[in-house]
Coordinates of all heavy atoms in Angstrom, one line a residue:
M1 N 44.1 140.5 -47.7 CA 44.5 140.1 -46.4 C 43.3 139.9 -45.5 O 42.5 140.8 -45.3 CB 45.3 141.3 -45.8 CG 46.7 141.3 -46.4 SD 47.6 142.8 -45.8 CE 47.0 144.0 -46.9
G2 N 43.2 138.8 -44.9 CA 42.1 138.5 -44.0 C 40.8 138.1 -44.7 O 39.9 137.6 -44.1
F3 N 40.8 138.3 -46.0 CA 39.6 137.9 -46.8 C 39.7 136.4 -47.0 O 40.6 135.9 -47.6 CB 39.5 138.6 -48.1 CG 39.1 140.1 -47.9 CD1 39.4 141.0 -48.9 CD2 38.5 140.5 -46.8 CE1 39.1 142.3 -48.8 CE2 38.2 141.8 -46.6 CZ 38.5 142.7 -47.6
S4 N 38.7 135.7 -46.6 CA 38.6 134.3 -46.9 C 37.2 133.8 -46.9 O 36.3 134.4 -46.3 CB 39.4 133.5 -45.9 OG 38.9 133.7 -44.6
C5 N 37.0 132.8 -47.7 CA 35.7 132.2 -47.8 C 35.3 131.4 -46.5 O 36.1 130.5 -46.1 CB 35.6 131.3 -49.0 SG 34.0 130.6 -49.3
K6 N 34.2 131.7 -45.9 CA 33.8 131.0 -44.7 C 32.6 130.1 -45.0 O 32.1 129.5 -44.0 CB 33.4 132.0 -43.6 CG 34.5 133.0 -43.3 CD 33.9 134.1 -42.4 CE 34.5 135.4 -42.7 NZ 33.6 136.5 -42.3
G7 N 32.2 130.0 -46.2 CA 31.1 129.2 -46.5 C 29.8 129.8 -46.4 O 28.7 129.2 -46.7
V8 N 29.7 131.1 -45.9 CA 28.5 131.8 -45.7 C 27.8 132.0 -47.1 O 26.6 132.1 -47.2 CB 28.7 133.1 -45.0 CG1 27.4 133.9 -44.8 CG2 29.4 132.8 -43.6
C9 N 28.7 132.2 -48.1 CA 28.2 132.6 -49.4 C 27.2 131.5 -49.9 O 26.4 131.7 -50.7 CB 29.4 132.8 -50.3 SG 30.6 131.5 -50.3
E10 N 27.4 130.3 -49.5 CA 26.6 129.2 -49.9 C 25.1 129.5 -49.7 O 24.2 129.1 -50.4 CB 27.0 127.9 -49.2 CG 28.3 127.4 -49.6 CD 28.4 126.8 -51.0 OE1 27.3 126.4 -51.5 OE2 29.5 126.7 -51.6
D11 N 24.8 130.2 -48.6 CA 23.5 130.5 -48.2 C 22.9 131.6 -49.2 O 21.7 131.7 -49.2 CB 23.4 131.1 -46.8 CG 23.8 130.0 -45.8 OD1 23.7 128.8 -46.1 OD2 24.1 130.4 -44.6
F12 N 23.7 132.3 -49.8 CA 23.3 133.4 -50.7 C 23.5 133.0 -52.2 O 23.3 133.9 -53.1 CB 24.1 134.7 -50.4 CG 23.8 135.2 -49.0 CD1 24.6 134.8 -48.0 CD2 22.7 136.0 -48.7 CE1 24.4 135.3 -46.7 CE2 22.5 136.5 -47.5 CZ 23.3 136.1 -46.4
R13 N 23.8 131.8 -52.4 CA 24.1 131.4 -53.7 C 22.9 131.6 -54.7 O 21.8 131.3 -54.3 CB 24.4 129.9 -53.7 CG 25.0 129.3 -54.9 CD 25.5 127.9 -54.6 NE 26.4 127.5 -55.6 CZ 27.3 126.5 -55.4 NH1 27.3 125.9 -54.3 NH2 28.1 126.2 -56.4
G14 N 23.2 132.2 -55.8 CA 22.1 132.5 -56.8 C 21.7 131.2 -57.5 O 22.5 130.2 -57.6
E15 N 20.5 131.2 -58.0 CA 20.0 130.1 -58.8 C 20.9 130.0 -60.0 O 21.3 131.0 -60.6 CB 18.6 130.3 -59.2 CG 17.6 130.3 -58.1 CD 16.2 130.6 -58.6 OE1 15.8 130.0 -59.6 OE2 15.6 131.5 -58.1
S16 N 21.0 128.8 -60.5 CA 21.8 128.6 -61.8 C 20.8 129.0 -62.9 O 19.7 128.6 -63.0 CB 22.3 127.2 -61.9 OG 21.3 126.3 -62.0
I17 N 21.4 129.8 -63.8 CA 20.6 130.2 -65.0 C 21.1 129.3 -66.2 O 22.3 129.4 -66.5 CB 20.8 131.7 -65.3 CG1 20.6 132.5 -64.0 CG2 19.9 132.1 -66.4 CD1 19.2 132.4 -63.5
P18 N 20.3 128.5 -66.8 CA 20.7 127.6 -67.9 C 21.4 128.4 -69.0 O 22.5 128.1 -69.4 CB 19.4 127.0 -68.3 CG 18.4 127.2 -67.3 CD 18.9 128.4 -66.5
N19 N 20.7 129.4 -69.5 CA 21.3 130.2 -70.6 C 21.0 131.6 -70.3 O 19.9 131.9 -69.8 CB 20.9 129.7 -72.0 CG 19.5 129.5 -72.1 OD1 18.7 130.2 -71.5 ND2 19.0 128.5 -72.8
G20 N 21.9 132.5 -70.7 CA 21.7 133.9 -70.4 C 22.6 134.3 -69.2 O 23.1 133.4 -68.5
S21 N 22.7 135.5 -69.0 CA 23.6 136.0 -68.0 C 23.0 136.1 -66.7 O 21.8 136.5 -66.5 CB 24.1 137.4 -68.4 OG 24.8 138.0 -67.4
R22 N 23.7 135.6 -65.7 CA 23.2 135.7 -64.3 C 23.2 137.1 -63.8 O 22.5 137.4 -62.9 CB 24.1 134.8 -63.4 CG 24.0 133.3 -63.9 CD 25.0 132.5 -63.1 NE 24.3 131.8 -62.1 CZ 24.8 130.9 -61.3 NH1 26.0 130.6 -61.5 NH2 24.1 130.3 -60.4
Y23 N 24.0 137.9 -64.4 CA 24.0 139.3 -64.0 C 22.7 139.9 -64.3 O 22.2 140.8 -63.7 CB 25.1 140.0 -64.8 CG 26.5 139.6 -64.4 CD1 27.3 138.8 -65.3 CD2 27.1 140.0 -63.2 CE1 28.5 138.4 -64.9 CE2 28.3 139.6 -62.8 CZ 29.1 138.8 -63.7 OH 30.3 138.4 -63.4
N24 N 22.0 139.4 -65.4 CA 20.7 140.0 -65.7 C 19.7 139.6 -64.7 O 18.6 140.2 -64.7 CB 20.3 139.4 -67.1 CG 21.1 140.0 -68.2 OD1 21.7 141.0 -68.1 ND2 21.1 139.3 -69.4
Y25 N 19.9 138.7 -63.9 CA 19.0 138.3 -62.9 C 19.4 138.9 -61.5 O 18.9 138.5 -60.5 CB 19.0 136.7 -62.7 CG 18.3 136.1 -63.9 CD1 19.0 135.9 -65.1 CD2 17.0 135.7 -63.8 CE1 18.4 135.3 -66.2 CE2 16.3 135.1 -64.9 CZ 17.0 134.9 -66.1 OH 16.4 134.3 -67.1
G26 N 20.3 139.8 -61.6 CA 20.6 140.5 -60.4 C 21.6 139.8 -59.5 O 21.9 140.1 -58.4
Q27 N 22.2 138.8 -60.1 CA 23.2 138.0 -59.3 C 24.6 138.7 -59.5 O 24.9 139.3 -60.5 CB 23.3 136.6 -59.8 CG 22.0 135.9 -59.5 CD 22.1 134.4 -59.8 OE1 23.2 133.8 -59.9 NE2 21.0 133.7 -60.0
K28 N 25.3 138.6 -58.4 CA 26.7 139.3 -58.4 C 27.7 138.2 -58.1 O 27.5 137.3 -57.4 CB 26.7 140.4 -57.4 CG 25.7 141.4 -57.6 CD 25.5 142.3 -56.4 CE 24.2 143.1 -56.6 NZ 23.8 143.8 -55.3
R29 N 28.8 138.4 -58.7 CA 29.9 137.4 -58.6 C 31.0 137.8 -57.6 O 31.5 138.9 -57.6 CB 30.5 137.1 -59.9 CG 31.5 136.0 -59.8 CD 31.9 135.5 -61.2 NE 33.0 134.6 -61.1 CZ 32.9 133.3 -60.8 NH1 31.7 132.8 -60.6 NH2 33.9 132.5 -60.7
C30 N 31.2 136.9 -56.7 CA 32.4 137.1 -55.8 C 33.6 136.4 -56.4 O 33.5 135.2 -56.6 CB 32.0 136.6 -54.4 SG 33.4 136.8 -53.3
S31 N 34.6 137.2 -56.6 CA 35.8 136.5 -57.3 C 36.6 135.7 -56.3 O 37.3 134.8 -56.6 CB 36.7 137.6 -57.9 OG 37.0 138.6 -56.9
L32 N 36.4 136.0 -55.0 CA 37.1 135.2 -54.0 C 36.4 133.9 -53.7 O 37.1 132.9 -53.5 CB 37.2 136.0 -52.7 CG 38.4 137.0 -52.7 CD1 38.1 138.3 -52.0 CD2 39.5 136.3 -51.9
C33 N 35.1 133.9 -53.7 CA 34.4 132.7 -53.4 C 34.0 131.9 -54.7 O 33.6 130.8 -54.6 CB 33.1 133.0 -52.6 SG 33.3 133.8 -51.1
S34 N 34.2 132.6 -55.8 CA 33.9 132.0 -57.1 C 32.5 131.6 -57.2 O 32.2 130.5 -57.6 CB 34.9 130.9 -57.4 OG 36.2 131.3 -57.3
L35 N 31.6 132.4 -56.7 CA 30.2 132.1 -56.7 C 29.4 133.3 -57.2 O 29.8 134.4 -56.9 CB 29.7 131.7 -55.3 CG 29.9 130.3 -54.8 CD1 29.4 130.2 -53.4 CD2 29.3 129.3 -55.7
F36 N 28.2 133.0 -57.7 CA 27.2 134.0 -58.0 C 26.3 134.1 -56.8 O 25.8 133.1 -56.3 CB 26.4 133.7 -59.3 CG 27.2 134.1 -60.5 CD1 28.0 133.2 -61.2 CD2 27.1 135.4 -61.0 CE1 28.6 133.6 -62.3 CE2 27.7 135.8 -62.1 CZ 28.5 134.8 -62.8
L37 N 26.1 135.3 -56.3 CA 25.3 135.5 -55.1 C 24.1 136.4 -55.4 O 24.2 137.2 -56.3 CB 26.1 136.1 -54.0 CG 27.5 135.5 -53.7 CD1 28.3 136.3 -52.7 CD2 27.3 134.1 -53.1
T38 N 23.0 136.2 -54.7 CA 21.9 137.0 -54.7 C 21.8 137.8 -53.4 O 21.3 137.3 -52.4 CB 20.6 136.2 -54.9 OG1 20.7 135.4 -56.1 CG2 19.4 137.2 -55.1
V39 N 22.4 139.0 -53.4 CA 22.5 139.8 -52.2 C 22.2 141.2 -52.6 O 22.5 141.7 -53.7 CB 23.9 139.7 -51.5 CG1 24.1 138.4 -50.9 CG2 25.0 140.0 -52.5
P40 N 21.6 142.0 -51.7 CA 21.3 143.4 -51.9 C 22.5 144.3 -51.8 O 22.6 145.3 -52.4 CB 20.3 143.7 -50.8 CG 20.5 142.8 -49.7 CD 21.1 141.5 -50.4
S41 N 23.5 143.9 -51.1 CA 24.7 144.7 -50.9 C 25.7 144.5 -52.0 O 25.6 143.6 -52.8 CB 25.3 144.4 -49.6 OG 26.2 143.3 -49.7
V42 N 26.6 145.4 -52.1 CA 27.7 145.4 -53.1 C 28.9 144.5 -52.7 O 29.8 144.3 -53.4 CB 28.1 146.8 -53.5 CG1 27.0 147.5 -54.2 CG2 28.7 147.5 -52.3
R43 N 28.8 144.1 -51.4 CA 29.9 143.3 -50.9 C 29.4 141.9 -50.6 O 28.3 141.7 -50.2 CB 30.5 144.0 -49.6 CG 31.3 145.2 -50.0 CD 31.9 145.8 -48.7 NE 32.7 146.9 -49.0 CZ 34.0 146.8 -49.2 NH1 34.6 145.7 -49.2 NH2 34.7 147.9 -49.6
C44 N 30.4 141.0 -50.6 CA 30.1 139.7 -50.3 C 29.8 139.5 -48.8 O 30.7 140.0 -48.0 CB 31.2 138.8 -50.7 SG 31.0 137.1 -50.4
P45 N 28.7 138.9 -48.4 CA 28.4 138.7 -47.0 C 29.4 137.7 -46.3 O 29.4 137.6 -45.1 CB 27.0 138.3 -47.0 CG 26.8 137.6 -48.3 CD 27.7 138.4 -49.2
C46 N 30.1 137.1 -47.2 CA 31.0 136.0 -46.7 C 32.4 136.5 -46.4 O 32.9 136.4 -45.3 CB 30.9 134.9 -47.7 SG 32.0 133.5 -47.3
C47 N 33.0 137.0 -47.5 CA 34.4 137.4 -47.4 C 34.6 138.9 -47.4 O 35.7 139.4 -47.0 CB 35.2 136.8 -48.5 SG 34.7 137.4 -50.1
G48 N 33.5 139.7 -47.7 CA 33.6 141.1 -47.7 C 34.2 141.7 -48.9 O 34.4 142.9 -49.0
A49 N 34.5 140.9 -49.9 CA 35.0 141.5 -51.2 C 33.9 142.2 -51.9 O 32.8 141.8 -51.9 CB 35.6 140.3 -52.0
V50 N 34.3 143.1 -52.7 CA 33.4 143.8 -53.6 C 32.9 142.9 -54.7 O 33.8 142.3 -55.3 CB 34.0 145.1 -54.2 CG1 33.0 145.8 -55.1 CG2 34.4 146.1 -53.0
L51 N 31.6 142.8 -54.9 CA 31.1 141.9 -55.9 C 31.1 142.5 -57.3 O 30.9 143.7 -57.4 CB 29.7 141.5 -55.5 CG 29.5 140.8 -54.2 CD1 28.1 140.7 -53.8 CD2 30.1 139.4 -54.2
R52 N 31.2 141.7 -58.2 CA 31.2 142.1 -59.6 C 29.8 142.1 -60.1 O 29.1 141.1 -59.9 CB 32.1 141.1 -60.4 CG 32.5 141.5 -61.7 CD 33.4 140.4 -62.3 NE 34.7 140.6 -61.9 CZ 35.6 141.4 -62.6 NH1 35.2 142.1 -63.6 NH2 36.9 141.4 -62.2
T53 N 29.4 143.1 -60.8 CA 28.0 143.2 -61.2 C 27.9 143.2 -62.7 O 26.8 143.2 -63.2 CB 27.3 144.5 -60.7 OG1 28.1 145.6 -61.0 CG2 27.2 144.4 -59.2
N54 N 29.0 143.2 -63.4 CA 29.0 143.2 -64.9 C 29.8 142.1 -65.4 O 30.7 141.7 -64.8 CB 29.5 144.5 -65.4 CG 28.7 145.7 -65.0 OD1 27.5 145.8 -65.3 ND2 29.3 146.7 -64.4
P55 N 29.4 141.6 -66.6 CA 30.2 140.6 -67.2 C 31.6 141.2 -67.5 O 31.7 142.3 -67.8 CB 29.4 140.3 -68.5 CG 28.1 140.8 -68.3 CD 28.2 141.9 -67.3
R56 N 32.5 140.3 -67.3 CA 33.9 140.8 -67.4 C 34.3 141.4 -68.7 O 34.0 140.9 -69.8 CB 34.9 139.6 -67.1 CG 34.7 138.5 -68.1 CD 35.4 137.3 -67.6 NE 34.5 136.1 -67.8 CZ 34.7 135.2 -68.7 NH1 35.7 135.2 -69.4 NH2 33.8 134.2 -68.8
G57 N 34.9 142.5 -68.6 CA 35.4 143.2 -69.8 C 34.4 143.7 -70.8 O 34.8 144.4 -71.7
K58 N 33.2 143.4 -70.6 CA 32.2 143.8 -71.6 C 31.7 145.2 -71.3 O 30.6 145.4 -70.7 CB 31.0 142.8 -71.6 CG 30.2 142.9 -72.9 CD 29.1 141.9 -72.9 CE 28.3 142.0 -74.2 NZ 27.1 141.1 -74.2
R59 N 32.5 146.1 -71.7 CA 32.1 147.5 -71.4 C 32.6 148.4 -72.5 O 33.7 148.3 -72.9 CB 32.7 147.9 -70.0 CG 32.1 149.1 -69.5 CD 32.8 149.5 -68.2 NE 32.3 150.8 -67.8 CZ 32.9 151.5 -66.8 NH1 33.9 151.1 -66.2 NH2 32.4 152.7 -66.5
R60 N 31.7 149.3 -72.9 CA 32.2 150.2 -73.9 C 32.0 151.6 -73.5 O 30.9 152.0 -73.1 CB 31.3 150.0 -75.2 CG 31.7 148.8 -75.9 CD 30.6 148.3 -76.9 NE 31.1 147.1 -77.5 CZ 31.5 147.0 -78.7 NH1 31.5 148.0 -79.5 NH2 31.9 145.9 -79.2
Ligands
ZN101 ZN1 32.4 132.5 -49.5
ZN102 ZN1 32.9 136.1 -51.1

């Protein structure tokens, strides 16, 4: 509710990594903006959603 992409995330967009995980480069994914971001915080500066820091489902 109230979370929406304002385009701010574009400013924090992480570099594209040709091969390998972007998570390894400290990039975090915002599921709402569908972007990988390079930000120090755990929340998206754009929509405020909690960012994903691990590859999906890959956890033991
Ligand atoms: Zn956004
Ligand atoms: Zn976002």
Side-chain angles (χ1 to χ4, degrees):
M1 285 174 276
F3 288 159
S4 61
C5 181
K6 300 172 218 157
V8 180
C9 49
E10 293 286 341
D11 293 341
F12 297 92
R13 196 171 196 156
E15 294 173 50
S16 62
I17 310 298
N19 45 37
S21 173
R22 300 175 96 173
Y23 294 105
N24 288 340
Y25 289 80
Q27 296 188 19
K28 299 163 193 168
R29 183 167 174 81
C30 177
S31 54
L32 272 142
C33 300
S34 302
L35 277 181
F36 277 93
L37 308 173
T38 306
V39 289
S41 83
V42 295
R43 283 178 180 273
C44 179
C46 177
C47 63
V50 177
L51 299 169
R52 196 178 274 276
T53 54
N54 295 305
R56 61 197 133 108
K58 198 177 181 184
R59 194 180 173 194
R60 287 163 182 253

